[in-house]
Amino acid sequence: MTARVGWGFDAHRFAHTGAVLLCAVVADDERGVEATSDGDVPAHAVADALLGAAALGDLGAVFPSDDSAWRGADSMRLLAEVNARVAAAGFRPASIDLTVIAQSVRVAPHREAIRTALADCLGIGREAVSVKATTTDGMGFLGADEGLAAVAVAVLEG
């Protein structure tokens, strides 16, 4: 059995409308994020980590932001498509480690729902999904509460 590791990152600026989604879980319904899709930053980071681990490119290559087909797209549906591509390449997720980086968006009240959403989407057990959060202690655009970011590590088996 072969193990592969991939790392993913995404960041978006907050918008004045919409909702902040954390793997389809609404964490803030008073503002959204500027994005081509629904702007689910953690889902994008996980998708990029999976693509990287399987050496299948990156999210922008698979779902180009200049393609109107992806305008408003459900990021968890995109993540499921990425997972299908990973499976077609002969791999399956063994574990996911996700960190959300935001000044004011609270992850703790949604942590278990996020874990469940990721596990269900990827077809793995919740025990294989870690969800953490941190801030930048006021530094940079994240610390100024202008947006949020996420990093993810995916381990694939194949």
Side-chain angles (χ1 to χ4, degrees):
M1 180 172 301
T2 301
R4 308 268 292 291
V5 176
W7 185 84
F9 173 82
D10 195 39
H12 285 277
R13 178 185 319 274
F14 287 129
H16 298 292
T17 61
V20 175
L21 300 174
L22 305 177
C23 298
V25 176
V26 176
D28 182 338
D29 61 2
E30 296 186 11
R31 60 183 169 179
V33 297
E34 294 178 14
T36 302
S37 67
D38 62 9
D40 192 328
V41 171
H44 296 173
V46 171
D48 245 359
L50 291 169
L51 288 166
L56 296 175
D58 62 39
L59 199 61
V62 176
F63 306 109
S65 60
D66 60 356
D67 184 341
S68 62
W70 309 121
R71 182 137 326 274
D74 177 336
S75 295
M76 292 299 278
R77 184 178 65 78
L78 300 180
L79 179 58
E81 169 62 26
V82 164
N83 197 40
R85 290 174 184 227
V86 166
F91 300 101
R92 68 175 190 82
S95 67
I96 301 293
D97 185 14
L98 169 68
T99 302
V100 177
I101 309 161
Q103 197 63 37
S104 66
V105 174
R106 302 280 59 116
V107 171
H110 311 289
R111 185 180 328 274
E112 296 311 311
I114 296 165
R115 288 180 70 209
T116 297
L118 279 173
D120 290 350
C121 183
L122 300 176
I124 60 177
R126 283 180 70 248
E127 70 281 355
V129 178
S130 171
V131 175
K132 306 181 307 288
T134 192
T135 70
T136 61
D137 292 325
M139 296 185 305
F141 86 94
L142 295 169
D145 206 29
E146 296 173 3
L148 77 157
V151 294
V153 174
V155 176
L156 301 182
E157 296 174 333

CSV table of all heavy atoms in Angstrom, one decimal, residues 7 15 24 43 107 132 149 155:
chain,number,residue,atom,x,y,z
A,7,TRP,N,-1.0,19.0,0.6
A,7,TRP,CA,-1.2,20.2,1.5
A,7,TRP,C,-2.1,21.1,0.6
A,7,TRP,O,-1.8,21.3,-0.6
A,7,TRP,CB,0.1,20.8,1.8
A,7,TRP,CG,0.0,22.0,2.7
A,7,TRP,CD1,0.0,21.9,4.1
A,7,TRP,CD2,0.1,23.4,2.4
A,7,TRP,NE1,-0.1,23.2,4.6
A,7,TRP,CE2,0.0,24.1,3.6
A,7,TRP,CE3,0.1,24.1,1.2
A,7,TRP,CZ2,-0.1,25.5,3.6
A,7,TRP,CZ3,0.1,25.4,1.2
A,7,TRP,CH2,0.0,26.2,2.4
A,15,ALA,N,-17.3,39.4,2.1
A,15,ALA,CA,-18.2,40.1,1.3
A,15,ALA,C,-19.3,40.7,2.2
A,15,ALA,O,-19.4,40.4,3.4
A,15,ALA,CB,-18.9,39.3,0.2
A,24,ALA,N,-19.8,23.6,4.3
A,24,ALA,CA,-21.3,23.6,4.1
A,24,ALA,C,-22.0,24.0,5.4
A,24,ALA,O,-23.2,24.1,5.4
A,24,ALA,CB,-21.9,22.4,3.5
A,43,ALA,N,-13.5,23.9,2.5
A,43,ALA,CA,-13.7,22.8,1.5
A,43,ALA,C,-12.7,23.0,0.4
A,43,ALA,O,-12.2,22.0,-0.1
A,43,ALA,CB,-15.1,22.9,1.0
A,107,VAL,N,-15.1,28.7,15.1
A,107,VAL,CA,-15.1,27.3,14.6
A,107,VAL,C,-15.7,26.3,15.6
A,107,VAL,O,-16.4,25.4,15.4
A,107,VAL,CB,-13.7,26.8,14.1
A,107,VAL,CG1,-13.7,25.4,13.8
A,107,VAL,CG2,-13.3,27.7,12.9
A,132,LYS,N,-9.4,22.2,13.3
A,132,LYS,CA,-8.9,23.1,14.3
A,132,LYS,C,-9.1,24.5,13.9
A,132,LYS,O,-9.5,24.7,12.7
A,132,LYS,CB,-7.4,22.8,14.5
A,132,LYS,CG,-7.1,21.3,14.8
A,132,LYS,CD,-5.6,21.1,15.0
A,132,LYS,CE,-4.7,21.5,13.9
A,132,LYS,NZ,-4.7,20.8,12.7
A,149,ALA,N,-9.0,32.2,6.1
A,149,ALA,CA,-8.1,31.3,5.3
A,149,ALA,C,-8.3,29.9,5.9
A,149,ALA,O,-8.8,29.7,7.1
A,149,ALA,CB,-6.7,31.7,5.3
A,155,VAL,N,-4.0,12.8,3.8
A,155,VAL,CA,-3.2,11.6,3.6
A,155,VAL,C,-4.1,10.6,2.8
A,155,VAL,O,-5.2,10.3,3.2
A,155,VAL,CB,-2.8,10.9,5.0
A,155,VAL,CG1,-2.1,9.6,4.7
A,155,VAL,CG2,-2.0,11.9,5.8
